Amino acid sequence: MIALLPMQAYAEGEKAGGEELDIPSIVLEHLADAYEWHIATYEGKHLSISLPVIIRSSNTGEWHFCTAHSLPANFFLNEEQHGKIYERMPDGSVERPIDLSITKTVLQIWIVVVILIVVFLSCARWYKKHDAKSDAPGGFVGMMEMFVMMIHDDLIKSSIGEKHYKPYAPYLLTVFFFIFTTNLIGLLPIFPGGANVTGNINITFFLALCTMLAINVFANKEYWKEIFWPEVPLFLKAYPAPIMPVIELFGVFTKPFALMIRLFANMMAGHAVILSFTCVIFLGWSMGVGYGLGLNFFSIIMLLFMNLLEVLVAFVQAYVFTMLSAVFIGLAHKEHGEE
């Protein structure tokens, strides 16, 4: 994902009189959410899509519908809080209002949802026109069938078990294709791609929370028995302290936490590395022609390698999140005496 933000920052720095390229700020700015979608910068002019801002004043209780460039009085973008909207109260204090804005991350999620709906409705239309005796689908429909059957049969069914997998298959398939599609769209350098959705910990937190509910709300009694009264010596589960139940109960929260951090850290790191190599190109030219040519060649090779690697990572992370979710759900439906 070769972003245009480093070029913008470098150009502005040169006009300001040789200001150094601040790579950490550029990378963090791109990874953060925003109230507009920056497309490109040309001759100091920014091409951006302003997104709807929906905020509720903590002072008056009124709702405001605007953009980030036309905020009402007393509202401002707080750069110290990653560019989020804050409200200045009459006593001089600053508070965060209720913010339901359509940010860059939210819009990217809607784009992914639309893509998935179009893809699966198209596949469903093909199957509606063919019966079981027809030839196997080819082309795009055949590829989608391969993905669905791979995740459904080889992952979900085998991890959860024949008796219990069916209620969870729609959720796990949705999670896999949402994460996979979001990761791929995030690698596109321009709109409608480039947003760092799965590198946003709020998104991965929600996905992990859904898995946590699927595990614990519908778990059988054997699952809870293993937590509160495991088959270990009495002194480990009751006297003098319930050591094992505390550890097992702690595991109820650490499993989804691991899912959240694993997906968030891997995707954020991939975006950060690609952006850093992009910035190295402009940093090299600021050091001279010799450095520029050398670093350009090195950075372009590494960018191509990292982008190809990120395509693989996009699939692997979606697969791993779905697999671990299925394994944890399967553990919540173990029968008595089952290994």
Side-chain angles (χ1 to χ4, degrees):
M1 180 186 57
I2 303 176
L4 297 176
L5 286 175
M7 184 180 294
Q8 167 196 340
Y10 176 71
E12 291 177 350
E14 286 294 304
K15 290 179 182 179
E19 182 182 348
E20 292 185 358
L21 185 65
D22 190 354
I23 295 179
S25 297
I26 293 171
V27 172
L28 292 176
E29 180 182 353
H30 178 79
L31 295 177
D33 203 0
Y35 295 99
E36 63 179 12
W37 200 307
H38 182 268
I39 306 297
T41 300
Y42 181 70
E43 295 183 352
K45 296 181 180 179
H46 304 291
L47 176 60
S48 303
I49 300 175
S50 295
L51 302 175
V53 171
I54 307 171
I55 49 177
R56 182 180 182 273
S57 172
S58 301
N59 182 32
T60 63
E62 296 181 1
W63 286 94
H64 299 276
F65 301 85
C66 56
T67 67
H69 299 288
S70 59
L71 292 175
N74 299 324
F75 290 91
F76 65 98
L77 295 174
N78 192 338
E79 297 301 332
E80 296 180 356
Q81 299 294 331
H82 308 291
K84 296 297 183 181
I85 295 177
Y86 276 74
E87 181 181 8
R88 187 170 286 104
M89 307 303 288
D91 60 358
S93 62
V94 172
E95 291 188 11
R96 181 90 163 95
I98 296 176
D99 191 348
L100 302 180
S101 304
I102 309 301
T103 61
K104 182 179 179 180
T105 299
V106 174
L107 181 58
Q108 182 76 94
I109 291 174
W110 285 3
I111 292 172
V112 170
V113 169
V114 170
I115 291 173
L116 291 177
I117 290 174
V118 170
V119 167
F120 285 108
L121 287 182
S122 300
C123 294
R125 189 178 299 111
W126 187 95
Y127 284 103
K128 190 176 181 180
K129 296 178 180 179
H130 297 76
D131 55 29
K133 297 180 181 179
S134 302
D135 293 335
F140 181 75
V141 177
M143 183 187 70
M144 291 304 300
E145 181 180 289
M146 178 198 70
F147 271 110
V148 171
M149 297 309 295
M150 177 185 66
I151 301 300
H152 183 273
D153 293 346
D154 299 338
L155 195 155
I156 299 174
K157 185 187 292 188
S158 61
S159 298
I160 300 179
E162 292 274 353
K163 295 172 61 177
H164 305 289
Y165 82 92
K166 289 185 178 179
Y168 302 99
Y171 163 69
L172 292 172
L173 283 168
T174 302
V175 166
F176 171 80
F177 282 104
F178 172 78
I179 296 176
F180 184 42
T181 307
T182 302
N183 291 347
L184 289 180
I185 296 287
L187 295 176
L188 297 177
I190 58 174
F191 182 84
N196 183 37
V197 175
T198 46
N200 186 322
I201 199 167
N202 296 304
I203 306 301
T204 59
F205 168 78
F206 178 76
L207 293 173
L209 178 63
C210 290
T211 296
M212 179 180 175
L213 294 176
I215 294 169
N216 296 284
V217 172
F218 305 104
N220 61 17
K221 62 180 181 180
E222 290 297 326
Y223 170 77
W224 293 110
K225 178 178 178 297
E226 285 294 323
I227 292 177
F228 293 108
W229 199 254
E231 295 182 0
V232 295
L234 184 63
F235 72 90
L236 289 176
K237 61 185 178 183
Y239 181 81
I243 299 175
M244 289 304 298
V246 170
I247 294 175
E248 293 292 338
L249 186 61
F250 188 67
V252 171
F253 302 97
T254 56
K255 291 174 183 176
F257 179 79
L259 286 176
M260 174 185 72
I261 296 299
R262 178 190 296 272
L263 180 60
F264 159 72
N266 280 281
M267 299 315 301
M268 185 187 69
H271 280 251
V273 170
I274 291 175
L275 281 167
S276 298
F277 279 121
T278 306
C279 292
V280 167
I281 296 175
F282 306 104
L283 180 62
W285 284 113
S286 68
M287 299 169 63
V289 176
Y291 284 106
L293 291 174
L295 289 177
N296 269 13
F297 178 78
F298 171 75
S299 297
I300 290 172
I301 295 297
M302 292 304 298
L303 278 172
L304 291 174
F305 170 75
M306 285 303 301
N307 274 280
L308 292 174
L309 182 63
E310 280 297 297
V311 173
L312 176 62
V313 171
F315 172 79
V316 169
Q317 290 304 316
Y319 188 91
V320 169
F321 189 98
T322 308
M323 179 187 67
L324 292 178
S325 297
V327 169
F328 294 153
I329 291 172
L331 293 174
H333 291 278
K334 286 174 57 177
E335 302 298 335
H336 181 69
E338 181 182 353
E339 293 296 333

